[in-house]
Amino acid sequence: MASIGKIARRTFLIGAVAVAGGAAFGAWYVSRPAPNPLKPGEGEASLNPFVLIDGDGVTLIAPRAEMGQGTMTTWAALIAEEMDLAWEDVRVIHGPPGQAYYNSALMGEGMSHKGYDASSFQHSLGEMLGVMGKVFSMQVTGGSTAMKDGYERMRVTGAAAREMLKTAAAKRLNVGLDELRTENGAVIAPDGTAIPYTELAAEAAEVEPPKVELRERSDWKLLGTSLPRKDVLGKSTGTAAFGIDTRLPGMRYAAVRMSPTRGGMKSYDAFEASRMAGVEKVVDLGDGLAVIATNTWLAQQAVDAIPVEWNPAPYPETTEEMFRAIEAGFDTEPNSTLRDDGNPDKLPDGAQRIKAEYRVPFLAHATMEPMNATAWFDGTNLRIWCGNQGPTFLRDACAAEAGIAPEEVEVNVTLMGGGFGRRGEFDYAVLATRVAKAMPGTPVNVTWSREEDMTHDFYRPAAIARITGAVEGGKAVAFDARVSSPAIAEQALDRWVGFAPGGPSKEIVDAIYNQPYGIPNNRVTGHKAEITPPLGFWRSVGASFNGFFHESFMDELAHAAGADPLEFRLDLTRDEWLPAYYVLEAVRDMSGWTGKTEAGVGRGIAMVYSFGTPTAIVIEVKDVDGLIRLTNAWIAADPGVALDPANIEAQLTGGMAYGLSSAMGEEITFAGGVVAQKNFPDYDPLRMSQMPAVEVKVLENQKRLNGIGEVATPPAAPALANAIFDLTGQRVRELPLNKALDFYL
């Protein structure tokens, strides 16, 4: 396989040249081609940064990380569709750090319009802003943007590669380009002779990439169908290589123990631990310790045995203090007012006003594969192996830790056993680099314990919403929400790129200010709470809590109006935005919703628009000996274009399960500045016995393709809470729900 070089063999520019940002960065810099990071070896040819051809066939260099969401499979389909490749012959590997692999869709997600009402101009502006991801080398997997990023980009890449191969064949055969066609990885000559791409690749690599036209959807053979996942065989047979599986000659193993308060160390005594058989070194990491040993278990036992005195936390030490700080956020000027329609303060005399307060806790990512990385530093060059969602940021941070140039760092991206945003950070790789510096020339596999992983996460922030609304004549006439929470993006971007842009913190109000309900008086303000526990992006980000706030209150409005909760929502979405109406209609029909449930049964509905996709969920619960049992769930979503229906169904089912898990039993609390939850017995996830039967329907009523990976998480909690209200008459306004009631196991 090709090695990764500093100097590009060729460059390849895909997409429109952006004008946005030209003044700040220089139009020449924004529009210049990103260099191709691939340096093909003997017998290999790189047609562009994404397509490598050798004697064995075609390899897709995937710039988005595979963490179980099926990205590799669908990206391969995007390339193969236009290249006329046999599906089973396409190989896929993770891409190295490289500006060419920037995420073209991520920057556009930061725009503050509602999204569902975006004009063609606003959509185009978002696309132009996307090229700024190249400026910042934002090779990031996140924000449900992988398919939005790749949908046209990869098809153009495949089509261009196909035409380059045809051009090479036309020159070789001295025939017109229009006399050739492609099929199953070969160019077909006029006489029917098939010339494999593998034989044409070297010549094609010298062809200038042409302008291409993409095939009509009616001509698709792969896209739009359910394809076998590229990663399933390895994962099913135990041969898939995750970061934690890395094994290298002469490897040593390390465990870390970092300050549980994030405040650093006062003192420690490693004398006895350093004498344990098999322990090779105790490393002072500054704000923690590592032990290098001959195996991971020994390293873990040794580091845990070291007496350490820690410094106090630099943030409020208890959960109660943190919530007081979040409450105090309501006394500050709004950080944002991204929706302000009508006048919620001035309503007709006959309007019935209601108000409610909702709370959600801090949450951990709790990936099944704990944080880990393998580092090998020889004093000049650094090699890293780990699963990660941002290779360029990780490379640069590790280079800074090693005191070398980024070009001297090789990052090998592995499969990852869960990401959910946690592996968008790079602290675990920086620590591995720090450990490897203490043993130059030796590869060191650094694995965190589950306890270390749980107590040193970058958490989904806690949040509070105070909402006032009004109904009149069976309809909602006012919705006035105030949300207070710490800002996530400021912390994360400062870690990633060294600065945090000013302006509104959209994530505080995302999926509450931009919901497609036609309420005439609709105002949403965000308030930034000034507390700084370590925070990070968690699956669906602000929508994860605002979906609960919005859809729980919509249910309260419906009941105050004496209306059926689902019909109430249908009425509000029909004239506002039809795709939202249609997903509600779909779950109504799938579930056989009548608005009436028999004794001992409850049903709840929620619909949340996030990442460009409206998603509706109906959840059914039953009373089983006084315990709440989830029995059935129906999900409908409209991403615009269903590239792989089976994979979308899996994403929606998994996203809902993740949302239900956090809604029912997950919570991070602080005491003495230390996270109280250490492992899964303390941080109770959804059990297999609690998972309801699921039916999914995928709609395609939107004009453009939108996100799917996170969109089923936000409506899961409110749908469940609303079902519990239908069953018990108890309105639970605080998560997790197991603080108020008991679930069946």
Short mmCIF file of all heavy atoms in Angstrom, two decimals, residues 37-82:
data_model
loop_
_atom_site.label_atom_id
_atom_site.label_comp_id
_atom_site.label_asym_id
_atom_site.label_seq_id
_atom_site.Cartn_x
_atom_site.Cartn_y
_atom_site.Cartn_z
N PRO A 37 -1.80 14.01 -0.43
CA PRO A 37 -0.85 13.48 0.55
C PRO A 37 -0.32 12.09 0.20
O PRO A 37 0.53 11.57 0.92
CB PRO A 37 -1.68 13.43 1.83
CG PRO A 37 -3.07 13.18 1.35
CD PRO A 37 -3.19 13.93 0.04
N LEU A 38 -0.81 11.49 -0.87
CA LEU A 38 -0.39 10.13 -1.21
C LEU A 38 0.89 10.14 -2.05
O LEU A 38 1.02 10.92 -2.98
CB LEU A 38 -1.50 9.42 -2.00
CG LEU A 38 -2.86 9.31 -1.31
CD1 LEU A 38 -3.84 8.59 -2.22
CD2 LEU A 38 -2.75 8.60 0.02
N LYS A 39 1.80 9.28 -1.70
CA LYS A 39 3.02 9.10 -2.48
C LYS A 39 3.06 7.64 -2.91
O LYS A 39 3.52 6.77 -2.18
CB LYS A 39 4.25 9.44 -1.65
CG LYS A 39 5.54 9.43 -2.48
CD LYS A 39 6.73 9.89 -1.64
CE LYS A 39 8.00 9.92 -2.47
NZ LYS A 39 9.17 10.34 -1.67
N PRO A 40 2.57 7.35 -4.10
CA PRO A 40 2.46 5.95 -4.54
C PRO A 40 3.81 5.27 -4.61
O PRO A 40 4.84 5.87 -4.94
CB PRO A 40 1.82 6.06 -5.93
CG PRO A 40 1.16 7.40 -5.94
CD PRO A 40 2.03 8.28 -5.10
N GLY A 41 3.78 3.98 -4.27
CA GLY A 41 4.99 3.18 -4.38
C GLY A 41 5.09 2.55 -5.76
O GLY A 41 4.34 2.87 -6.68
N GLU A 42 6.01 1.62 -5.89
CA GLU A 42 6.22 0.92 -7.16
C GLU A 42 4.95 0.18 -7.56
O GLU A 42 4.37 -0.56 -6.77
CB GLU A 42 7.38 -0.06 -7.01
CG GLU A 42 7.78 -0.75 -8.31
CD GLU A 42 8.42 0.21 -9.30
OE1 GLU A 42 9.05 1.20 -8.85
OE2 GLU A 42 8.30 -0.04 -10.53
N GLY A 43 4.50 0.38 -8.80
CA GLY A 43 3.32 -0.31 -9.29
C GLY A 43 2.01 0.28 -8.84
O GLY A 43 0.96 -0.33 -9.03
N GLU A 44 2.06 1.47 -8.23
CA GLU A 44 0.84 2.13 -7.76
C GLU A 44 0.67 3.46 -8.47
O GLU A 44 1.65 4.09 -8.90
CB GLU A 44 0.91 2.38 -6.25
CG GLU A 44 1.00 1.11 -5.42
CD GLU A 44 1.15 1.42 -3.94
OE1 GLU A 44 1.68 2.50 -3.61
OE2 GLU A 44 0.75 0.57 -3.13
N ALA A 45 -0.56 3.89 -8.59
CA ALA A 45 -0.85 5.19 -9.19
C ALA A 45 -1.97 5.84 -8.40
O ALA A 45 -2.98 5.21 -8.08
CB ALA A 45 -1.27 5.04 -10.65
N SER A 46 -1.78 7.12 -8.08
CA SER A 46 -2.79 7.89 -7.36
C SER A 46 -3.41 8.88 -8.33
O SER A 46 -2.77 9.83 -8.76
CB SER A 46 -2.14 8.63 -6.18
OG SER A 46 -3.05 9.53 -5.61
N LEU A 47 -4.69 8.66 -8.68
CA LEU A 47 -5.35 9.57 -9.62
C LEU A 47 -5.76 10.86 -8.94
O LEU A 47 -5.97 11.87 -9.60
CB LEU A 47 -6.57 8.89 -10.24
CG LEU A 47 -6.33 7.56 -10.97
CD1 LEU A 47 -7.56 7.19 -11.78
CD2 LEU A 47 -5.11 7.63 -11.85
N ASN A 48 -5.92 10.81 -7.62
CA ASN A 48 -6.29 11.97 -6.81
C ASN A 48 -6.13 11.54 -5.35
O ASN A 48 -5.72 10.41 -5.09
CB ASN A 48 -7.73 12.41 -7.13
CG ASN A 48 -8.72 11.28 -7.07
OD1 ASN A 48 -8.90 10.66 -6.03
ND2 ASN A 48 -9.35 10.97 -8.20
N PRO A 49 -6.41 12.39 -4.38
CA PRO A 49 -6.19 11.99 -2.98
C PRO A 49 -7.07 10.84 -2.49
O PRO A 49 -6.83 10.31 -1.41
CB PRO A 49 -6.52 13.27 -2.20
CG PRO A 49 -6.31 14.39 -3.17
CD PRO A 49 -6.75 13.83 -4.48
N PHE A 50 -8.07 10.45 -3.28
CA PHE A 50 -9.03 9.46 -2.81
C PHE A 50 -8.94 8.11 -3.53
O PHE A 50 -9.48 7.13 -3.04
CB PHE A 50 -10.45 10.01 -2.98
CG PHE A 50 -10.67 11.33 -2.31
CD1 PHE A 50 -10.56 12.52 -3.02
CD2 PHE A 50 -10.98 11.40 -0.96
CE1 PHE A 50 -10.74 13.74 -2.40
CE2 PHE A 50 -11.17 12.61 -0.33
CZ PHE A 50 -11.04 13.80 -1.05
N VAL A 51 -8.33 8.08 -4.69
CA VAL A 51 -8.33 6.86 -5.51
C VAL A 51 -6.89 6.41 -5.76
O VAL A 51 -6.11 7.14 -6.38
CB VAL A 51 -9.06 7.07 -6.85
CG1 VAL A 51 -8.98 5.80 -7.69
CG2 VAL A 51 -10.52 7.45 -6.60
N LEU A 52 -6.58 5.22 -5.28
CA LEU A 52 -5.27 4.62 -5.51
C LEU A 52 -5.48 3.31 -6.25
O LEU A 52 -6.32 2.50 -5.87
CB LEU A 52 -4.57 4.35 -4.17
CG LEU A 52 -3.15 3.80 -4.27
CD1 LEU A 52 -2.17 4.92 -4.54
CD2 LEU A 52 -2.77 3.07 -2.98
N ILE A 53 -4.74 3.12 -7.33
CA ILE A 53 -4.86 1.89 -8.12
C ILE A 53 -3.52 1.19 -8.17
O ILE A 53 -2.49 1.81 -8.45
CB ILE A 53 -5.35 2.19 -9.56
CG1 ILE A 53 -6.68 2.95 -9.53
CG2 ILE A 53 -5.51 0.90 -10.35
CD1 ILE A 53 -7.22 3.34 -10.90
N ASP A 54 -3.53 -0.11 -7.86
CA ASP A 54 -2.33 -0.93 -8.01
C ASP A 54 -2.71 -2.21 -8.74
O ASP A 54 -3.82 -2.33 -9.27
CB ASP A 54 -1.69 -1.21 -6.64
CG ASP A 54 -2.61 -1.96 -5.70
OD1 ASP A 54 -3.62 -2.53 -6.16
OD2 ASP A 54 -2.32 -1.98 -4.49
N GLY A 55 -1.81 -3.17 -8.75
CA GLY A 55 -2.06 -4.39 -9.49
C GLY A 55 -3.23 -5.21 -8.97
O GLY A 55 -3.76 -6.06 -9.69
N ASP A 56 -3.65 -4.96 -7.73
CA ASP A 56 -4.75 -5.72 -7.15
C ASP A 56 -6.11 -5.05 -7.33
O ASP A 56 -7.13 -5.66 -7.01
CB ASP A 56 -4.50 -5.94 -5.65
CG ASP A 56 -3.29 -6.83 -5.41
OD1 ASP A 56 -3.07 -7.75 -6.21
OD2 ASP A 56 -2.56 -6.58 -4.43
N GLY A 57 -6.11 -3.80 -7.78
CA GLY A 57 -7.39 -3.14 -7.99
C GLY A 57 -7.42 -1.72 -7.45
O GLY A 57 -6.39 -1.05 -7.37
N VAL A 58 -8.63 -1.28 -7.06
CA VAL A 58 -8.86 0.11 -6.65
C VAL A 58 -9.06 0.18 -5.14
O VAL A 58 -9.82 -0.60 -4.56
CB VAL A 58 -10.09 0.69 -7.37
CG1 VAL A 58 -10.38 2.11 -6.87
CG2 VAL A 58 -9.88 0.69 -8.88
N THR A 59 -8.37 1.13 -4.52
CA THR A 59 -8.52 1.38 -3.10
C THR A 59 -9.05 2.79 -2.91
O THR A 59 -8.52 3.75 -3.48
CB THR A 59 -7.19 1.23 -2.35
OG1 THR A 59 -6.74 -0.12 -2.47
CG2 THR A 59 -7.33 1.58 -0.88
N LEU A 60 -10.10 2.92 -2.11
CA LEU A 60 -10.62 4.23 -1.72
C LEU A 60 -9.92 4.66 -0.45
O LEU A 60 -9.88 3.92 0.54
CB LEU A 60 -12.13 4.15 -1.48
CG LEU A 60 -12.75 5.33 -0.70
CD1 LEU A 60 -12.63 6.63 -1.48
CD2 LEU A 60 -14.19 5.04 -0.33
N ILE A 61 -9.36 5.87 -0.47
CA ILE A 61 -8.77 6.45 0.73
C ILE A 61 -9.88 7.28 1.38
O ILE A 61 -10.22 8.37 0.93
CB ILE A 61 -7.57 7.36 0.39
CG1 ILE A 61 -6.64 6.67 -0.63
CG2 ILE A 61 -6.84 7.75 1.66
CD1 ILE A 61 -6.04 5.37 -0.15
N ALA A 62 -10.47 6.74 2.43
CA ALA A 62 -11.64 7.37 3.05
C ALA A 62 -11.21 8.44 4.04
O ALA A 62 -10.48 8.14 4.99
CB ALA A 62 -12.49 6.32 3.74
N PRO A 63 -11.66 9.66 3.88
CA PRO A 63 -11.26 10.73 4.79
C PRO A 63 -12.10 10.81 6.05
O PRO A 63 -11.79 11.58 6.93
CB PRO A 63 -11.44 11.99 3.93
CG PRO A 63 -12.55 11.64 3.02
CD PRO A 63 -12.42 10.18 2.73
N ARG A 64 -13.19 10.04 6.13
CA ARG A 64 -14.04 10.06 7.32
C ARG A 64 -13.86 8.75 8.07
O ARG A 64 -13.82 7.68 7.47
CB ARG A 64 -15.51 10.28 6.96
CG ARG A 64 -15.78 11.56 6.21
CD ARG A 64 -15.50 12.81 7.06
NE ARG A 64 -15.27 13.95 6.17
CZ ARG A 64 -14.07 14.45 5.90
NH1 ARG A 64 -13.00 13.94 6.48
NH2 ARG A 64 -13.93 15.45 5.08
N ALA A 65 -13.79 8.84 9.37
CA ALA A 65 -13.48 7.70 10.21
C ALA A 65 -14.67 6.75 10.32
O ALA A 65 -15.82 7.17 10.39
CB ALA A 65 -13.07 8.17 11.60
N GLU A 66 -14.36 5.47 10.34
CA GLU A 66 -15.38 4.44 10.55
C GLU A 66 -15.44 4.10 12.03
O GLU A 66 -14.47 3.63 12.61
CB GLU A 66 -15.03 3.19 9.73
CG GLU A 66 -16.01 2.05 9.91
CD GLU A 66 -17.42 2.41 9.47
OE1 GLU A 66 -17.64 2.61 8.26
OE2 GLU A 66 -18.30 2.51 10.36
N MET A 67 -16.58 4.40 12.65
CA MET A 67 -16.75 4.07 14.06
C MET A 67 -18.06 3.31 14.28
O MET A 67 -18.71 3.42 15.31
CB MET A 67 -16.71 5.33 14.92
CG MET A 67 -17.54 6.48 14.45
SD MET A 67 -17.16 7.96 15.43
CE MET A 67 -17.96 9.23 14.44
N GLY A 68 -18.44 2.54 13.23
CA GLY A 68 -19.63 1.73 13.33
C GLY A 68 -20.83 2.29 12.60
O GLY A 68 -21.88 1.66 12.53
N GLN A 69 -20.67 3.49 12.02
CA GLN A 69 -21.81 4.15 11.37
C GLN A 69 -21.92 3.83 9.88
O GLN A 69 -22.86 4.28 9.22
CB GLN A 69 -21.74 5.67 11.60
CG GLN A 69 -20.80 6.44 10.68
CD GLN A 69 -19.34 6.39 11.09
OE1 GLN A 69 -18.86 5.37 11.56
NE2 GLN A 69 -18.63 7.48 10.87
N GLY A 70 -21.00 3.05 9.34
CA GLY A 70 -21.10 2.62 7.95
C GLY A 70 -20.54 3.59 6.94
O GLY A 70 -20.78 3.45 5.73
N THR A 71 -19.76 4.57 7.38
CA THR A 71 -19.23 5.59 6.48
C THR A 71 -18.39 4.99 5.36
O THR A 71 -18.53 5.38 4.19
CB THR A 71 -18.39 6.60 7.28
OG1 THR A 71 -19.27 7.38 8.10
CG2 THR A 71 -17.62 7.53 6.36
N MET A 72 -17.52 4.06 5.68
CA MET A 72 -16.65 3.48 4.65
C MET A 72 -17.46 2.84 3.53
O MET A 72 -17.13 2.96 2.35
CB MET A 72 -15.73 2.44 5.27
CG MET A 72 -14.52 3.00 5.98
SD MET A 72 -13.40 1.67 6.47
CE MET A 72 -11.92 2.61 6.84
N THR A 73 -18.53 2.17 3.92
CA THR A 73 -19.35 1.46 2.94
C THR A 73 -20.00 2.42 1.96
O THR A 73 -19.94 2.22 0.73
CB THR A 73 -20.43 0.63 3.66
OG1 THR A 73 -19.78 -0.29 4.55
CG2 THR A 73 -21.29 -0.13 2.68
N THR A 74 -20.61 3.48 2.46
CA THR A 74 -21.33 4.38 1.57
C THR A 74 -20.38 5.27 0.78
O THR A 74 -20.66 5.60 -0.38
CB THR A 74 -22.35 5.22 2.37
OG1 THR A 74 -23.17 4.34 3.14
CG2 THR A 74 -23.24 6.03 1.44
N TRP A 75 -19.25 5.67 1.38
CA TRP A 75 -18.27 6.43 0.61
C TRP A 75 -17.74 5.59 -0.55
O TRP A 75 -17.55 6.10 -1.66
CB TRP A 75 -17.12 6.90 1.51
CG TRP A 75 -17.40 8.22 2.15
CD1 TRP A 75 -18.37 8.48 3.07
CD2 TRP A 75 -16.73 9.45 1.92
NE1 TRP A 75 -18.33 9.80 3.44
CE2 TRP A 75 -17.34 10.42 2.75
CE3 TRP A 75 -15.67 9.82 1.11
CZ2 TRP A 75 -16.91 11.74 2.78
CZ3 TRP A 75 -15.24 11.14 1.15
CH2 TRP A 75 -15.86 12.09 1.97
N ALA A 76 -17.53 4.31 -0.31
CA ALA A 76 -17.08 3.43 -1.39
C ALA A 76 -18.12 3.35 -2.49
O ALA A 76 -17.79 3.31 -3.68
CB ALA A 76 -16.77 2.04 -0.83
N ALA A 77 -19.40 3.32 -2.10
CA ALA A 77 -20.47 3.27 -3.10
C ALA A 77 -20.51 4.54 -3.93
O ALA A 77 -20.78 4.51 -5.14
CB ALA A 77 -21.82 3.05 -2.41
N LEU A 78 -20.25 5.69 -3.31
CA LEU A 78 -20.25 6.96 -4.05
C LEU A 78 -19.18 6.96 -5.14
O LEU A 78 -19.40 7.42 -6.26
CB LEU A 78 -20.02 8.12 -3.08
CG LEU A 78 -21.16 8.43 -2.11
CD1 LEU A 78 -20.68 9.36 -0.99
CD2 LEU A 78 -22.34 9.07 -2.84
N ILE A 79 -18.00 6.44 -4.79
CA ILE A 79 -16.91 6.35 -5.77
C ILE A 79 -17.24 5.31 -6.84
O ILE A 79 -17.13 5.54 -8.05
CB ILE A 79 -15.59 5.96 -5.07
CG1 ILE A 79 -15.03 7.13 -4.26
CG2 ILE A 79 -14.57 5.44 -6.06
CD1 ILE A 79 -14.17 8.08 -5.03
N ALA A 80 -17.65 4.13 -6.38
CA ALA A 80 -17.87 3.01 -7.30
C ALA A 80 -18.99 3.28 -8.29
O ALA A 80 -18.95 2.81 -9.43
CB ALA A 80 -18.16 1.74 -6.50
N GLU A 81 -19.99 4.02 -7.86
CA GLU A 81 -21.13 4.30 -8.75
C GLU A 81 -20.69 5.01 -10.02
O GLU A 81 -21.12 4.68 -11.13
CB GLU A 81 -22.16 5.17 -8.01
CG GLU A 81 -23.46 5.38 -8.76
CD GLU A 81 -24.28 4.11 -8.89
OE1 GLU A 81 -24.85 3.66 -7.90
OE2 GLU A 81 -24.33 3.57 -10.02
N GLU A 82 -19.81 5.97 -9.87
CA GLU A 82 -19.37 6.75 -11.03
C GLU A 82 -18.16 6.12 -11.73
O GLU A 82 -17.95 6.34 -12.92
CB GLU A 82 -19.02 8.18 -10.61
CG GLU A 82 -20.23 9.01 -10.17
CD GLU A 82 -21.12 9.42 -11.34
OE1 GLU A 82 -20.69 9.29 -12.50
OE2 GLU A 82 -22.25 9.88 -11.08
#
